[in-house]
Amino acid sequence: MSRVVVVAGATSGIGRATARAFAERGDRLVLAARAPQTLAEVREECAGVEALTVPTDVTEPGALEALAEATIERFGRIDVWVHTAAVMAYGRFDELPERVFEQVVRTDLLAAAGAARVALRHFRATGAGTLILTGSVLGHITAPYMSAYVASKWGLQGLARTLQQELRDSPDIRLCLVNPGSVDTPVYQQAANYLGQVGRPPPPVAGPQRVARAIVDCVDRPRREVSVGRLNVVLRAGFTVLPGVYDVLVGPLMRLAGLSGRPVGAHDGTVFAPNPAGESVRGGHLPDLRQLVSGPVGAVGAALRRRFG
């Protein structure tokens, strides 16, 4: 039996990959994000399953309640709620405009809390459901120039743990927190920037499809927390066990691996408004394996098969 899945933040990066992954399972979808035109594109990508698009700014009062109501009106229930909506900002804390800092926190933490409130109220009324929140390895460690994002993800980590404790009396209601490390999504280019350099995900970088698979797997095998990233455990250990060493190294490593060196003027990115032209599954930080297979690597493979096959 297909599930009814709400995906908030469905037009780009992890959210868009997640929508596709649920569509491949045959689940019915409710796709929510700020840009109506991009939502229509994602619905086309999920052809073959019933999908409802609901333009939604998760920071607007009442928007998440309206999203839930639209879902129930169309499908009669909500089985899974996935919250991936997030924005990012680069800049020294004292140089980042207060309005930008607060909007990042409003989007990445308070809207996630709002989604949890709406989803859990529905799940308690029906007796079952799965809520999946998207955190970050930066909910366990810190990095300079990303204060608003880090503060939001630390807050989300604490919120998720608290809600999991409160749900111990409801075993059929599951809350999972998926914490990616660096992921090849457009969020870095789309971020607000008051640092003067374009950001990028430090290596090793995972594909958004890998995170999407972890999210989908949580529906079948719910876990309290899932880490996606080869260095996540190492980073957390260094941050906890050797905090002095971590603090000495993290600044130079961030400037070397987390910033591209490309100059950019101060701007708000997508913190306050979407940029449909910049929305996609991938951010261009990893090679497209399909192109490699059909390009030079594929040609080499074909030649070897002809020679030795």
Side-chain angles (χ1 to χ4, degrees):
M1 181 179 180
S2 66
R3 298 180 175 91
V4 176
V5 181
V6 175
V7 181
T11 52
S12 197
I14 293 170
R16 193 163 182 165
T18 297
R20 291 178 178 180
F22 277 113
E24 290 173 0
R25 289 165 47 107
D27 291 320
R28 291 173 287 176
L29 299 174
V30 179
L31 307 171
R34 293 179 293 182
Q37 58 271 48
T38 318
L39 281 174
E41 294 174 9
V42 179
R43 182 175 58 196
E44 290 300 315
E45 295 170 0
C46 297
V49 300
E50 190 175 359
L52 171 68
T53 59
V54 183
T56 304
D57 182 338
V58 296
T59 67
E60 288 295 321
L64 292 162
E65 290 86 349
L67 175 58
E69 291 170 2
T71 303
I72 294 168
E73 181 179 353
R74 175 68 170 270
F75 295 114
R77 68 179 196 274
I78 302 170
D79 298 312
V80 181
W81 189 301
V82 182
H83 191 85
T84 68
V87 294
M88 191 182 287
Y90 288 96
R92 295 182 185 276
F93 172 73
D94 55 314
E95 296 175 352
L96 191 67
E98 182 177 352
R99 59 185 179 80
V100 173
F101 183 96
E102 292 183 352
Q103 185 68 7
V104 172
V105 174
R106 190 173 294 117
T107 303
D108 295 359
L109 175 58
L110 299 183
R117 184 178 298 111
V118 171
L120 292 180
R121 284 175 178 171
H122 177 77
F123 294 158
R124 285 198 181 276
T126 59
T130 302
L131 171 63
I132 302 172
L133 301 176
T134 308
S136 169
V137 68
L138 288 175
H140 289 286
I141 65 173
T142 59
Y145 319 126
M146 302 180 71
S147 55
Y149 189 81
V150 170
S152 300
K153 295 304 182 180
W154 275 71
L156 186 60
Q157 187 74 33
L159 174 66
R161 184 71 178 270
T162 301
L163 297 182
Q164 287 166 343
Q165 293 166 353
E166 294 179 358
L167 288 170
R168 288 181 61 84
D169 62 346
S170 304
D172 292 328
I173 301 176
R174 288 76 58 94
L175 190 156
C176 309
L177 182 64
V178 176
N179 286 331
S182 294
V183 183
D184 179 24
T185 78
V187 70
Y188 305 92
Q189 300 98 308
Q190 301 269 65
N193 199 303
Y194 287 84
L195 190 61
Q197 293 186 57
V198 176
R200 64 184 178 188
V205 181
Q209 293 84 355
R210 183 181 173 194
V211 185
R213 288 194 297 270
I215 290 172
V216 171
D217 189 56
C218 282
V219 179
D220 297 323
R221 297 189 306 121
R223 283 156 290 169
R224 293 165 59 86
E225 183 175 340
V226 179
S227 179
V228 183
R230 284 178 288 170
L231 284 187
N232 289 9
V233 174
V234 175
L235 292 170
R236 290 175 60 176
F239 181 83
T240 303
V241 178
L242 299 169
V245 174
Y246 180 95
D247 286 352
V248 168
L249 295 177
V250 69
L253 288 174
M254 178 65 179
R255 289 188 288 273
L256 175 68
L259 299 174
S260 67
R262 289 188 290 126
V264 63
H267 65 88
D268 290 344
T270 58
V271 169
F272 295 98
N275 173 30
E279 294 181 323
S280 62
V281 173
R282 298 163 65 90
H285 305 287
L286 281 175
D288 190 326
L289 296 181
R290 290 171 298 181
Q291 293 180 0
L292 285 177
V293 169
S294 62
V297 173
V300 171
L304 291 173
R305 286 193 296 271
R306 287 194 300 270
R307 176 66 178 83
F308 300 104

